[in-house]
Amino acid sequence: MRCRKCGGSAALELRRHNAAFCSPHFIEFFKKQVAEAIHKHRMFSRDETIMVAVSGGKDSLALWDVLIDEGYRTAGLYLDLGIFDYSVESRAKCEAFAARRGQTLHVERVAEAVGAPIPEVQKVTRRPTCSACGLSKRYLMNRAALEHGYPVVATGHNLDDEAATLFGSVLHWQTDALTRQSPALPSTHPKLVRRVKPLYRLSELETAAYAFLSGIDYIVEECPFATGATSLSHKELLNRLEESSPGAKHNFLFGFLDKARPAFERMEEVDLRPCSACGQVTTGEICAFCKLADLVKRRGAGRAPADNPAPEPAR
Ligand code: AMP
Ligand code: FES
Ligand code: ZN
Ligand code: ZN
């Protein structure tokens, strides 16, 4: 295999692009894809400071790395979910990366905000662990960005993540989720910061290759609660499809974004107002996060589940 750019020996073959690259040209390709995502969806400008939500995994650290290299002003945000050794190790990876690249890393402890670490929260709500976790992450990312004055939060969601989410939403025809599925969610309220996914054009394999070739030290283990998650089985399914027809994942996601998504755009604006408990936005009286925190406080971990908070419908 020869590099498409220089004819040198290739380090990586990208079947869906019908191309192969040597290491330096793969890095160049990777950065170009990120630049194209930022440009196409007007994710942010060079005058803005971007808050990069980092989990310690390959995707978000690769994203932070590219943005720093490309000269963007950034700060990291790590949310400590309190998930045993996994959280301790992933936090250490983020701190080491931030120190090496001379960047600020903000750390928020979920246990402080919700009242208990994620494994305890799960016992109280009896909903799938990642639903309380996802709700808390989205809430705290927004809150941290507002508090520190960052206009935009970037996450490391890649092509595989986005295709699997889309697949799950289509399977159940969750039209609200289809409306929200986008590489860039605009701010629709002064208290809602923009959320962008600059890696949506790059596959999981490509972000892993980038992280490896760039010498990024990341946590390889998945969150212990991820085992058996439906998103993983959707990913496996799509990988099998990709194996027999390279580009299938890409066509599925990009076809949706280009052709189908406009049909799911909301006809009417949702009415967002401040949560009467915390002041962040919600469609109801009290936001889902405050309901979750209240439930944790009232019931305490390990007790019987009660009125579980409804999922936040706004984004
Ligand atoms: P996941 O939902 O775990 O697939 O992660 C998707 C993206 O959310 C990651 O690429 C990160 O940008 C962000 N993220 C996940 N977990 C954390 C965390 N503990 N702290 C900060 N950001 C996170
Ligand atoms: Fe949410 Fe594992 S439970 S990351
Ligand atoms: Zn080359
Ligand atoms: Zn609230």
Side-chain angles (χ1 to χ4, degrees), residues 53-55 60 77-79 81 137 141 155-157:
V54 283
S55 63
S60 47
L77 170 69
Y78 175 74
L79 301 170
L81 304 164
K137 283 197 281 204
M141 279 176 198
T155 57
H157 292 94

Side-chain angles (χ1 to χ4, degrees), residues 52-61 63 77-81 86-87 90 94 108 110 130 133-134 137 141 153-158 161 199 222-223 231 235:
V52 188
V54 283
S55 63
K58 60 187 182 329
D59 304 300
S60 47
L61 289 182
L63 170 61
L77 170 69
Y78 175 74
L79 301 170
D80 184 343
L81 304 164
Y86 169 73
S87 288
S90 53
C94 293
E108 295 268 345
V110 170
C130 242
C133 167
K137 283 197 281 204
M141 279 176 198
V153 174
T155 57
H157 292 94
N158 58 38
D161 295 325
L199 299 186
E222 291 277 346
C223 161
S231 60
K235 275 189 182 173

Side-chain angles (χ1 to χ4, degrees), residues 139 274-282 285-291:
Y139 179 92
C275 162
S276 58
C278 74
Q280 287 224 60
V281 289
T282 176
E285 170 73 22
I286 306 253
C287 79
F289 181 84
C290 286
K291 285 183 190 162

